[in-house]
């Protein structure tokens, strides 16, 4: 039986600052048992678009990118 891959992903609707990216890259290179990755706002939105599921993209937009409090 094949083991499931365990990984940790940090998603944000915004951006990671330069210091955070350095820390994330360091931890990604250092960790071998659990894969670490991250997505900024553009990459998160691309997930919904890439799935070709309009409802997912609409929900992401409604709650994060086009929400009245996000501006």
């Amino acid at each position: 039986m094949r083991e499931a891959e365990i990984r940790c992903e940090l998603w944000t609707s915004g951006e990671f600052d330069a210091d955070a990216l350095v820390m994330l890259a360091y931890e990604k290179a250092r960790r071998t048992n659990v894969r670490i990755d991250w997505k900024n706002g553009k990459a998160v939105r691309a997930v919904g678009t890439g799935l070709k599921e309009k409802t997912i993209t609409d929900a992401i937009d409604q709650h994060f990118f086009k929400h009245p409090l996000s501006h």
Side-chain angles (χ1 to χ4, degrees), residues 4-71:
E5 177 188 14
I6 298 173
R7 67 184 193 194
C8 176
E9 290 193 5
L10 303 170
W11 290 21
T12 181
S13 58
E15 296 293 329
F16 293 97
D17 68 23
D19 290 340
L21 290 171
V22 168
M23 184 183 302
L24 287 167
Y26 171 78
E27 290 299 327
K28 183 176 184 172
R30 197 180 90 133
R31 311 244 175 204
T32 57
N33 293 338
V34 177
R35 188 173 132 199
I36 296 175
D37 213 343
W38 54 92
K39 293 184 185 338
N40 66 7
K42 290 177 186 176
V44 169
R45 192 166 191 288
V47 168
T49 305
L51 293 174
K52 297 182 182 176
E53 290 287 339
K54 186 168 174 10
T55 55
I56 293 173
T57 304
D58 288 347
I60 290 170
D61 283 344
Q62 179 183 3
H63 293 285
F64 299 103
F65 297 106
K66 295 181 181 176
H67 190 276
L69 298 177
S70 68
H71 301 285

